[in-house]
Amino acid sequence: MGVITMENKMFCYQCQETAGCKGCTQIGVCGKLPDVANMQDLLVYVTKGLSEVATALRAEGKSVPREIGALVTYNLFVTITNANFDKEAIIRDVETTLEEKAKFLAQLSNKEGLTDAANWDGNMDEYEAKAKTVGVLAEQNEDIRSLKELITYGLKGLAAYEHHANMVGRYNDATNEFVQSALADTLKEKSVDELIALTLETGKYGVDAMADLDAGNTGKYGNPELTKVNIGVGNKPGILISGHDLNDLEQLLNQTKGTGVDVYTHSEMLPAHYYPKFKEYDNLVGNYGNAWWQQKEEFESFNGPILFTSNCIVPPRANASYKDRIYITGACGLEGAHYIPERKDGKPKDFSALIAHAKQPDRDPDPRGRITYDEFDALYKALKEEEKPPKNDRMPPYFKEFFKLYLEAQGKENKQEIPWEDRLAALYYAYAMKNANKFVSDWFCLNLNINNMLTAITCRKHGFDKAGYIVGDN
């Protein structure tokens, strides 16, 4: 059996960011620490055990409540990338899962042939040691391991869709039964052909789960439509909400209505603006920021609390100014963050603490990231007069270079001149590709190359000279 060693403190290769395209063994590229990674492995393991027991119960003709399906999908959601970094919260999930499994195991008439995952009922002081023996590397055969992990990751994605569908009132019993059956199958001896077939079936149910979520969202919020979204910020207190849970957004908007607190979406929550229902809320004022991975910089300049509703968390730096402003809910976990739990009585979550935080009057606006017209004008005039530009750490370096090129081109005639917006884009990409984070720099390089290839194809199709449209030197 594969065991996590001192050399490899963890092993995770479930996302495209994984170290060296092979696996994170010391710390996750996502920021996940080894003890968190190992505890997530244990949570997956005990969830598979619960699923095996539930599947066996159904085979005996006994009923399994929907709550077990919800627990299984929730547990899988907890373990996807960028969702939960809180070891203690994951330990509580392991405990809950073992408790539920014990109840149903007692109802099972025939326990023969059950795997260790179904039978194991360790104490908390055994969790650490057990976790190191049940992770990805526990399967020795690389081909079998790869297929079983592919199925598991497919089920995790499916579970995320199903969990969000549950939040808007959609339940698919057939999908939940398949998830549990498939998880149980990954514990058993299976041939490559059997696992390939199960992989394809997982994909089929994944599409079904996406359809369930789409039906739930459109049934409740309307069909998405082309929408112009404000990307500015106002002067009122504000809350930034990120993730994918539209039900959380709806509850937050209802509770902030008339309070003087505005709500801004971030990153994955941007598509909420496209649903007609959310256009009815004048307190949903716009979208703040860019992609999820830029949050360490962008959240510093957002003057208000931030709510994570699903997998979009980047652990903040130790000295981050916004650490005390982070709120989490649902499957999210981050040590030290404010947690907003589900209401046991089925009523909406209580966001009052979050709203009160946003209304605190002693928070001065953070000027970083806000470049005024006067600052641009001062830079432009200094460069035009060939004077030393005023010091401004908020001004991106490529803007200075762009102004220089613009001034140098004044009065010159060049019919083949590259459009100024493309020149600015080229400088932006060049700046981004120098990022110290290799993943970020490589991503921008790939993005630029793809855009240039598509541009070149379009130019060839219409007989244009691609030299006037290609961005950068790639």
Side-chain angles (χ1 to χ4, degrees):
M1 179 176 287
V3 179
I4 299 298
T5 65
M6 289 296 292
E7 291 76 21
N8 292 341
K9 298 177 182 178
M10 58 179 282
F11 188 86
C12 180
Y13 66 171
Q14 73 175 2
C15 78
Q16 77 277 8
E17 299 174 49
T18 192
C21 295
K22 295 179 180 179
C24 295
T25 60
Q26 305 301 313
I27 186 174
V29 172
C30 64
K32 181 166 57 178
L33 297 175
D35 59 347
V36 173
N38 295 335
M39 206 51 59
Q40 287 186 355
D41 287 343
L42 183 61
L43 180 58
V44 170
Y45 185 71
V46 299
T47 301
K48 288 181 177 181
L50 172 62
S51 297
E52 183 182 2
V53 173
T55 302
L57 275 173
R58 290 193 184 93
E60 292 184 350
K62 297 172 182 175
S63 64
V64 178
R66 273 183 172 175
E67 288 77 13
I68 294 303
L71 176 60
V72 168
T73 54
Y74 172 85
N75 284 354
L76 293 178
F77 198 176
V78 164
T79 68
I80 64 177
T81 305
N82 293 107
N84 198 305
F85 298 86
D86 190 340
K87 177 185 174 183
E88 295 304 317
I90 298 169
I91 287 176
R92 291 193 293 271
D93 293 334
V94 171
E95 287 184 283
T96 299
T97 305
L98 289 176
E99 290 170 1
E100 292 298 319
K101 186 187 68 175
K103 295 177 187 176
F104 292 101
L105 192 59
Q107 300 175 28
L108 191 62
S109 300
N110 183 8
K111 300 179 177 62
E112 290 185 15
L114 292 179
T115 66
D116 177 73
N119 286 306
W120 187 75
D121 188 23
N123 298 317
M124 193 182 300
D125 57 4
E126 302 175 80
Y127 287 4
E128 295 280 356
K130 187 67 174 180
K132 294 180 180 180
T133 68
V134 298
V136 174
L137 300 179
E139 173 59 61
Q140 298 296 309
N141 184 299
E142 190 172 3
D143 291 334
I144 298 296
R145 178 201 307 155
S146 296
L147 285 166
K148 286 186 174 181
E149 290 305 306
L150 181 59
I151 292 165
T152 301
Y153 301 152
L155 293 172
K156 288 186 179 188
L158 188 164
Y161 293 131
E162 189 65 21
H163 176 79
H164 286 308
N166 293 166
M167 295 301 102
V168 290
R170 296 280 299 192
Y171 294 88
N172 190 317
D173 293 325
T175 296
N176 279 298
E177 289 178 18
F178 169 76
V179 170
Q180 293 159 45
S181 174
L183 286 172
D185 281 342
T186 63
L187 295 168
K188 301 171 184 175
E189 294 290 335
K190 296 285 183 179
S191 68
V192 167
D193 288 341
E194 288 175 318
L195 291 172
I196 289 175
L198 185 56
T199 300
L200 296 175
E201 192 175 10
T202 300
K204 181 264 181 190
Y205 276 95
V207 172
D208 290 346
M210 292 176 68
D212 282 338
L213 177 57
D214 180 66
N217 285 342
T218 56
K220 191 172 184 181
Y221 305 117
N223 289 309
E225 54 194 25
L226 192 64
T227 302
K228 185 176 181 179
V229 180
N230 171 40
I231 57 173
V233 292
N235 295 320
K236 293 180 181 180
I239 294 172
L240 191 62
I241 180 170
S242 190
H244 309 83
D245 199 310
L246 297 182
N247 190 51
D248 282 340
L249 174 62
E250 181 184 23
Q251 293 180 19
L252 179 62
L253 289 170
N254 284 330
Q255 293 179 41
T256 53
K257 188 187 301 183
T259 65
V261 175
D262 288 336
V263 175
Y264 298 84
T265 59
H266 176 264
S267 193
E268 283 92 336
M269 194 60 84
L270 170 64
H273 293 273
Y274 314 154
Y275 290 91
K277 177 66 177 179
F278 290 115
K279 295 179 181 180
E280 299 174 6
Y281 293 92
D282 58 8
N283 50 329
L284 179 61
V285 297
N287 185 79
Y288 176 88
N290 295 282
W292 61 270
W293 53 265
Q294 293 176 284
Q295 63 186 252
K296 285 185 177 181
E297 289 74 32
E298 293 179 343
F299 287 179
E300 291 284 355
S301 58
F302 184 80
N303 186 36
I306 301 140
L307 174 64
F308 288 107
T309 67
S310 66
N311 52 309
C312 51
I313 301 173
V314 177
R317 299 182 181 94
N319 62 346
S321 67
Y322 63 89
K323 287 174 68 175
D324 185 54
R325 293 188 276 118
I326 295 177
Y327 288 74
I328 55 175
T329 191
C332 294
L334 185 66
E335 186 176 355
H338 308 282
Y339 185 70
I340 298 174
E342 299 284 346
R343 291 282 288 269
K344 299 296 184 182
D345 52 8
K347 294 180 180 178
K349 296 177 181 178
D350 182 2
F351 290 112
S352 58
L354 173 65
I355 297 169
H357 194 154
K359 296 171 74 172
Q360 288 183 10
D362 58 343
R363 296 183 176 271
D364 296 326
D366 190 325
R368 287 172 294 182
R370 301 183 182 184
I371 305 171
T372 66
Y373 171 82
D374 290 339
E375 288 173 313
F376 273 118
D377 190 52
L379 173 63
Y380 175 76
K381 289 178 177 177
L383 292 174
K384 186 176 181 180
E385 301 299 328
E386 297 185 355
E387 298 175 353
K388 184 178 180 180
K391 180 176 175 57
N392 189 337
D393 294 333
R394 299 193 310 279
M395 187 75 68
Y398 56 87
F399 265 102
K400 298 178 183 179
E401 183 65 24
F402 176 74
F403 276 132
K404 288 180 182 178
L405 291 174
Y406 179 80
L407 290 169
E408 290 172 359
Q410 296 306 297
K412 297 180 181 178
E413 292 187 7
N414 186 355
K415 295 182 180 180
Q416 299 299 319
E417 184 178 47
I418 298 174
W420 284 108
E421 59 267 29
D422 287 346
R423 291 192 178 195
L424 180 59
L427 292 170
Y428 169 70
Y429 274 105
Y431 174 75
M433 287 188 291
K434 293 177 182 178
N435 192 289
N437 185 311
K438 189 174 186 301
F439 170 75
V440 173
S441 62
D442 287 350
W443 186 90
F444 274 99
C445 183
L446 174 64
N447 190 263
L448 176 60
N449 287 337
I450 291 173
N451 287 334
N452 279 339
M453 285 189 288
L454 293 174
T455 299
I457 292 170
T458 302
C459 287
R460 179 181 297 176
K461 179 179 179 180
H462 297 285
F464 297 155
D465 181 4
K466 65 179 183 294
Y469 298 92
I470 295 295
V471 170
D473 300 322
N474 284 27

